[in-house]
Structure formats: structure tokens, C-alpha cells
Amino acid sequence: FLDDLSDIIWVDTKFNAKNIKIKKEFFPNAKVYITSKWNKELIESVGGHVDGIIPRVVDTRIANKVTYSIRGIPPNTPNAKKYDFVVIANTDKSVDHKNVLLTHKLLVDMNLRRRAVIVSNLDVADVKVFSLSEDDKYKLLAESRFYLALSGSEGFGLPPVEAMAVGTIPIYLDAHAYAEWLKGFPVSYECKKEVVVDGLLMDYYKPDVKDVERVIRSVLTMTDTDYEVISEEVRKYATETFRVEPILGKIFKPKLIS
């Protein structure tokens, strides 16, 4: 295998672009991997070099344990769910590029807020971000029917991928890295603009709230059978696509020993 982990630089956000340049000075032969095509374009736009696209991984061990213990043998049953919606987001408090406040207001306006759980660093949160253990996080995701992935800017977006791994179906903004990796119910965006987050310009997509409302109303009328089918489809997709073994296999190439 690779002789030194310094042969690899792995990043998942434009914020790491400066660090790439610094690390390349010390490790000039290092390979740089990024998490999405969209993110690759952002990194390259600020002078970064990218060798390949490698997604983040989910903990399939915990995901499978939670899936089977909470809901029984798949396909998943929607009546075993405690919540209709869940979202996990650590957002910039001045810009809220993850659209936590937008999500909260949308749920309030649709009289659905009590049927949702928001995990965030903002005051509207039901649970503070980073306060859950990995097991508790996956359990919360598994207890929810849909994941509201309305973030306006994502280099990957791990929580909705983890949600898929336990059969929770994303309702996701059809933009940035979400459009590349998520399966479920896409919603359109109203416009694209640039916002400043931590001193860096970031592409931001504003969700089309009317389209989000339309999709939410539609999914809430799904039959149990339809829900179970889609839930199992996203679960299989996530646990096969984002498990650690094939992803590591793309990075670490076995070397013949003579």
C-alpha cells in the first residue's frame, strides 16, 4: 500500500483550498481528492489542484444495526417512525448558508414544525449540533420519514447520505453536491448567487419554497407500500455506494512486493 499517508490530501470544502497549497509545498507528490464535481470546480476556481473525486463514507455497521433494531427487517415501515422530517446542519450564523431558518419557517408555515426535528447550532434547534453520539444520530435519522436537505451550499453533505443509509428519504435541493449524490425527491432552486462565508465567496442556491411545499404535500400522501419501496431503494444505494471498503480501494492501490 502507500508508504506514507502524506501521499494523500483529502478535502471536502472550498475552505480547504489554502491548506491544499500549503500541504503541497511539503508533500509535492501528494494526490488531492475532493468529494464532488461541484466542489472540484470551486477548488480549481481558487487555484487548487484536484486529482480525483472520492465521496465521504457512512458507518454502515451502525446504520445496519439501527435499521434492523428499530424497524425490523427491511423494507422499512413508515408507521414505525416518530417524526416526519429531520435536518442536521451546522450553519454560518450570519449567512445561514445551510438554510436552517428557511427550513424552520417553512415547517412552521405548513403547520408541520411539531412533526420535525432540527439539529443545529441556531436557536430554532430542538437538539444542539454535535451533541449526539454516532449511535444516537443514526437512531434519530432512522426514526424520521424524510430528511429535509435544503442547504444552499454543500461540497458533499454527509447527514442526508447517512439518512439514506437507514432508509430515510431525502427531499433535497437539486443543486451543488446534492444533485450528484442524493436519491429521493429533488426540489428546484429559485436563484443562484454568491455569499461570503468565513471570508470566502461561496456559490449559494436559494430553494424555490413553493416547489418545496409542493413536494412535501405530495410525499405526505404516499401509500405505505410506495414509501417502503423508495426507502429500501435509497438505503441500498447508500450502503453500497458510501461504504468504506470500495472507497478506500479507490485511494489505496495494492503494490506488488518482489
Side-chain angles (χ1 to χ4, degrees):
F1 291 88
L2 290 174
D3 298 322
D4 193 328
L5 288 180
S6 63
D7 289 336
I8 296 173
I9 300 173
W10 184 88
V11 296
D12 71 343
T13 172
K14 181 179 179 180
F15 296 128
N16 294 134
K18 293 180 181 178
N19 290 334
I20 292 176
K21 294 180 180 179
I22 294 171
K23 290 178 180 178
K24 287 290 280 185
E25 292 177 4
F26 291 96
F27 309 112
N29 296 322
K31 297 291 184 181
V32 178
Y33 294 96
I34 199 71
T35 51
S36 64
K37 295 177 182 177
W38 181 78
N39 216 6
K40 179 176 182 290
E41 293 174 359
L42 290 180
I43 292 290
E44 292 175 340
S45 72
V46 291
H49 170 75
V50 176
D51 292 289
I53 297 171
I54 302 291
R56 297 183 67 177
V57 301
V58 297
D59 192 327
T60 52
R61 179 187 60 83
I62 297 179
N64 290 335
K65 179 182 71 173
V66 167
T67 300
Y68 284 85
S69 65
I70 289 183
R71 307 174 203 161
I73 298 175
N76 302 309
T77 54
N79 58 7
K81 307 280 193 171
K82 290 184 179 180
Y83 313 103
D84 281 330
F85 307 101
V86 65
V87 60
I88 300 176
N90 185 42
T91 189
D92 182 274
K93 289 187 176 182
S94 61
V95 179
D96 188 22
H97 61 298
K98 304 279 186 175
N99 286 328
V100 175
L101 295 178
L102 181 149
T103 301
H104 167 74
K105 184 178 186 304
L106 176 72
L107 290 167
V108 170
D109 291 345
M110 296 185 72
N111 294 316
L112 297 171
R113 183 63 181 88
R114 291 185 179 182
R115 295 158 63 178
V117 177
I118 295 177
V119 182
S120 175
N121 59 319
L122 299 187
D123 292 339
V124 297
D126 304 293
V127 181
K128 287 301 179 183
V129 71
F130 305 129
S131 68
L132 298 173
S133 67
E134 284 296 290
D135 287 73
D136 288 340
K137 178 182 66 176
Y138 275 92
K139 183 174 182 289
L140 174 62
L141 292 171
E143 291 173 337
S144 307
R145 296 182 68 196
F146 301 99
Y147 186 102
L148 283 176
L150 303 180
S151 174
S153 183
E154 286 290 350
F156 182 71
L158 184 59
V161 173
E162 293 173 322
M164 289 193 297
V166 293
T168 298
I169 306 170
I171 297 171
Y172 66 93
L173 191 64
D174 194 16
H176 47 73
Y178 282 171
E180 297 177 45
W181 295 117
L182 298 188
K183 306 287 185 184
F185 297 99
V187 296
S188 59
Y189 59 90
E190 183 180 305
C191 64
K192 172 187 173 182
K193 61 182 181 180
E194 288 187 328
V195 297
V196 178
V197 180
D198 288 346
L200 280 177
L201 277 176
M202 297 289 290
D203 287 341
Y204 168 85
Y205 298 80
K206 181 181 179 182
D208 183 335
V209 174
K210 295 298 183 184
D211 194 44
V212 179
E213 291 176 348
R214 177 189 64 80
V215 172
I216 287 176
R217 290 193 183 96
S218 176
V219 300
L220 289 177
T221 65
M222 292 175 65
T223 65
D224 286 359
T225 300
D226 287 343
Y227 180 89
E228 291 169 12
V229 169
I230 299 174
S231 173
E232 185 62 6
E233 286 177 353
V234 300
R235 190 190 72 82
K236 286 184 176 180
Y237 162 71
T239 53
E240 292 172 2
T241 304
F242 304 102
R243 63 189 180 91
V244 67
E245 293 84 0
I247 291 175
L248 284 181
K250 294 178 181 179
I251 300 175
F252 294 100
K253 304 295 184 182
K255 293 182 180 179
L256 294 177
I257 301 176
S258 56

